[in-house]
Amino acid sequence: MNILGLVAALLLPSPALADPAGSTSPTLQEIRKKGVLRVGVKTDASPYNSLNAKGEVVGFESDLAELVAKRLGVSLKKVSITTENRFQKLLLGDVDILLATVGDTAERRRMATAIEPGYNETGVNVLFKPGYAVDQWEKIRQTTLCAVQGSYFNKPMIERYLLNLQTYKTVRDAQLALRDRQCTGFLYTNGALHNTRLLPDWAGYTMPLPNALITSMAIFVRSEEKGSELDLMLGNLMAELHRSGWMLETGRKWQLPSTTWLTAQKVMWSATSPDGKLDCTRNKNGMWIAACRTTEYVSSEEVSGLQALGLRLKEQFGIDLNFVYDPYDRTQFLRGLMYSMLLIASGIAISLSLGMLVATTVDERDGWRHRALRVLMAYGRMTPPLIMMYLIFFGIGGWTTREFGISLSAFAVATFCSGFYTAGLVMRALLEAAAHIRKSEPGFVLRFATLRRTEQFAASPIKQSLINLSKQTMMASAIAIPELLSASSLLIAEKGNIFLTMTALVLTFYLTTTLWAKIINRLEAAVLRRAVHP
């Protein structure tokens, strides 16, 4: 662990904490009066908090709680709570703050105040029983899963994937139900499931799904503390701990499943302008600037331009165009569109060049090599691109990876398969055009020098084949290419904005296909003009 970072976090004064601003905090006054900070903690969420051999609560969150108490100059009392009753304990005043793997969600912010920034990220996953595992969330629709009562993800996961959840009061109860095969898998936070899977008793259980509903974990205080001295003090401390590297080092100490988010937070909260001032500062209202906050909780008054317009639509009319106003979501959507356009352009180039090359090579030739080429192209024409992608990427690609350590490019495989399939159609159109010409010119042979002669007869079927190619790009998502469908599915998994995201996907797909149809029509017109007036 970084000792210097810890010492700095504990001993060195912080300008933001030395003279805290904010309204009067009843909770902080009570803490100082009693000399005790009561922190609500879970005891079944290793590595964040669990009981050791001595019955003590230890973990990442316990270390953080101890540091907060030391900064306030009071003693620490850990109060055991559960997922189900933690907010009840906070609202009734049984604890002063919650530090209990609480995911920061809009619904929870309506009950209490989340301290910004958070101290780590969390997501949801499924621990499957041996012999039952899938790699896509869509494949577990209507599956019966065990879960814990009060988890933030239960409702949205039911709505998105029509899951049948059997909810239990504690993690242990849900684990026992899974062991007894009362359910197919255990739906819970990815960090806790990862830690469970490493235990000897859980050998054979798998967690193959990508994480979903990723959000930050935050300290929560009562709702009336929003903007108070306690709110600002805790927020400043969290920022300082990210900046000093304490969060990152403590995460490594407790072997969190991933420290990627913590690393990114350290970089962001440490960033400075050329004059040496920190980039992440509080504005006149005591809020961190929008660039350093979770976009979901930024208001239209804090930003400008397209983001402000999008947020205003969301706030006033409930229209959530997150893929337009959210910089991250917009980047993902545009990246997907770019990949789709590149797949189409590359597929067209391969299909035209390969189709013309083979057609001019095999026409009026009957050697075994030419017959083999015809058979190969016929195979490509009659094999669905998706099956071809699976065969090459997972079949041949898996073999080359195992035997030679060579991984095939998913983009190259998808481009080749869609291009190869259409190239067979292009070749057939050209050969049929050449055969048509031979009815009036028996000596005609299709070669590059005579290719122009076939254009007026082959242009229409080739055009239709290329337009169909532009509609096939969404198949590439099957081998993890982040094209438009894949990007949209990712946004839905993260934000749940199903209707508007899918509507945008359909409209974008229609406009993209229309654009390529117009481009191909123009090319066809140009080709035909050249054929008529060489």
Side-chain angles (χ1 to χ4, degrees):
M1 185 175 177
N2 189 332
I3 301 301
L4 292 177
L6 176 59
V7 172
L10 288 174
L11 301 179
L12 295 181
S14 167
L17 293 176
D19 184 21
S23 58
T24 301
S25 167
T27 301
L28 186 57
Q29 289 181 334
E30 192 68 17
I31 291 170
R32 286 171 171 163
K33 178 180 178 181
K34 295 181 177 179
V36 177
L37 172 66
R38 299 170 302 163
V39 179
V41 298
K42 294 176 67 176
T43 60
D44 57 359
S46 177
Y48 292 99
N49 265 334
S50 60
L51 297 174
N52 64 12
K54 299 179 181 179
E56 301 167 329
V57 181
V58 295
F60 178 90
E61 291 176 334
S62 282
D63 284 2
L64 182 55
E66 290 170 5
L67 190 105
V68 171
K70 289 179 181 178
R71 180 58 61 91
L72 293 175
V74 297
S75 60
L76 173 65
K77 179 181 179 181
K78 300 175 189 177
V79 180
S80 178
I81 58 175
T82 65
T83 301
E84 183 183 25
N85 69 14
R86 53 192 172 186
F87 277 96
Q88 180 183 0
K89 293 283 188 180
L90 177 66
L91 299 180
L92 291 176
D94 294 336
V95 297
D96 301 313
I97 68 173
L98 285 184
L99 227 174
T101 64
V102 186
D104 186 0
T105 67
E107 184 177 356
R108 285 170 173 171
R109 286 191 175 215
R110 287 191 284 270
M111 295 188 293
T113 296
I115 303 299
E116 296 184 40
Y119 57 87
N120 199 14
E121 72 170 359
T122 185
V124 59
N125 213 308
V126 178
L127 184 67
F128 288 105
K129 63 185 181 183
Y132 188 99
V134 295
D135 57 1
Q136 294 180 17
W137 284 99
E138 290 76 12
K139 295 180 181 179
I140 66 169
R141 290 182 182 276
Q142 299 183 336
T143 299
T144 299
L145 300 177
C146 294
V148 176
Q149 295 174 8
S151 297
Y152 76 92
F153 43 77
N154 287 351
K155 180 181 177 181
M157 295 305 286
I158 290 174
E159 292 173 343
R160 294 183 195 186
Y161 302 110
L162 306 178
L163 300 175
N164 299 314
L165 294 190
Q166 295 179 355
T167 57
Y168 298 86
K169 287 185 175 295
T170 67
V171 171
R172 178 174 174 76
D173 290 344
Q175 290 175 337
L176 289 174
L178 177 60
R179 295 293 293 270
D180 291 341
R181 296 184 175 270
Q182 299 295 319
C183 50
T184 300
F186 177 24
L187 181 76
Y188 201 53
T189 57
N190 60 299
L193 293 181
H194 174 80
N195 194 69
T196 299
R197 190 167 59 92
L198 298 178
L199 299 175
D201 291 345
W202 293 91
Y205 287 76
T206 58
M207 199 171 74
L209 290 172
N211 293 332
L213 295 183
I214 297 174
T215 185
S216 63
M217 290 192 292
I219 296 174
F220 274 81
V221 295
R222 283 183 281 280
S223 56
E224 60 267 23
E225 292 292 338
K226 186 174 179 61
S228 71
E229 182 182 356
L230 178 62
D231 180 9
L232 270 61
M233 285 182 67
L234 291 174
N236 290 338
L237 177 58
M238 295 302 102
E240 179 186 336
L241 295 180
H242 281 300
R243 192 179 302 123
S244 68
W246 185 92
M247 289 284 196
L248 180 58
E249 292 299 326
T250 305
R252 289 171 177 164
K253 167 191 170 183
W254 288 102
Q255 299 180 344
L256 298 185
S258 173
T259 55
T260 302
W261 186 85
L262 290 174
T263 301
Q265 291 294 301
K266 182 179 186 300
V267 172
M268 183 179 76
W269 290 97
S270 302
T272 58
S273 58
D275 60 1
K277 295 182 180 179
L278 291 170
D279 288 346
C280 291
T281 56
R282 293 189 183 274
N283 58 27
K284 61 181 180 181
N285 297 322
M287 306 290 292
W288 297 111
I289 61 172
C292 301
R293 300 180 62 208
T294 302
T295 308
E296 185 177 355
Y297 306 121
V298 173
S299 70
S300 58
E301 298 177 355
E302 299 176 65
V303 293
S304 59
L306 187 62
Q307 189 174 7
L309 176 62
L311 288 172
R312 201 166 291 118
L313 284 172
K314 178 181 178 182
E315 293 163 359
Q316 296 182 6
F317 304 104
I319 301 174
D320 188 5
L321 300 175
N322 60 290
F323 47 86
V324 175
Y325 70 80
D326 186 301
Y328 173 79
D329 293 345
R330 183 171 63 247
T331 298
Q332 295 300 312
F333 195 82
L334 292 177
R335 182 173 175 237
L337 178 59
M338 180 196 71
Y339 266 97
S340 294
M341 298 296 278
L342 286 175
L343 282 168
I344 295 171
S346 302
I348 289 175
I350 290 175
S351 60
L352 289 177
S353 57
L354 183 60
M356 289 188 295
L357 175 63
V358 177
T360 55
T361 300
V362 303
D363 187 48
E364 289 296 281
R365 288 173 175 165
D366 199 37
W368 69 268
R369 294 185 181 86
H370 306 102
R371 289 197 299 270
L373 272 177
R374 286 176 180 271
V375 171
L376 182 63
M377 296 301 288
Y379 167 80
R381 186 178 70 248
M382 293 185 291
T383 304
L386 182 60
I387 294 178
M388 207 182 308
M389 287 181 200
Y390 276 120
L391 174 63
I392 296 176
F393 188 74
F394 294 109
I396 298 175
W399 175 73
T400 58
T401 300
R402 289 192 306 272
E403 298 297 326
F404 309 106
I406 300 174
S407 300
L408 300 183
S409 165
F411 184 88
V413 170
T415 302
F416 172 77
C417 291
S418 61
F420 185 38
Y421 173 79
T422 309
L425 301 174
V426 171
M427 179 199 75
R428 185 174 66 173
L430 291 172
L431 292 178
E432 289 177 351
H436 178 75
I437 295 174
R438 275 194 289 272
K439 291 179 180 179
S440 58
E441 300 179 35
F444 178 81
V445 178
L446 180 61
R447 299 290 181 264
F448 274 109
T450 60
L451 191 60
R452 181 181 296 183
R453 296 280 306 280
T454 64
E455 290 173 350
Q456 59 181 315
F457 304 109
S460 181
I462 289 177
K463 179 190 75 172
Q464 192 58 49
S465 298
L466 297 181
I467 291 175
N468 288 336
L469 182 149
S470 70
K471 301 175 183 178
Q472 298 169 4
T473 55
M474 291 192 180
M475 295 181 185
S477 62
I479 55 175
I481 295 178
E483 46 68 62
L484 197 55
L485 176 60
S486 178
S488 300
S489 298
L490 177 63
L491 292 178
I492 290 172
E494 292 179 347
K495 299 295 178 64
N497 193 6
I498 299 175
F499 176 75
L500 286 176
T501 303
M502 291 306 296
T503 301
L505 170 64
V506 171
L507 289 175
T508 305
F509 179 69
Y510 170 76
L511 293 174
T512 301
T513 304
T514 302
L515 173 63
W516 279 105
K518 288 185 177 296
I519 292 173
I520 293 169
N521 282 331
R522 286 182 176 274
L523 289 174
E524 179 194 23
V527 166
L528 291 177
R529 282 197 302 271
R530 190 178 67 167
V532 176
H533 305 289

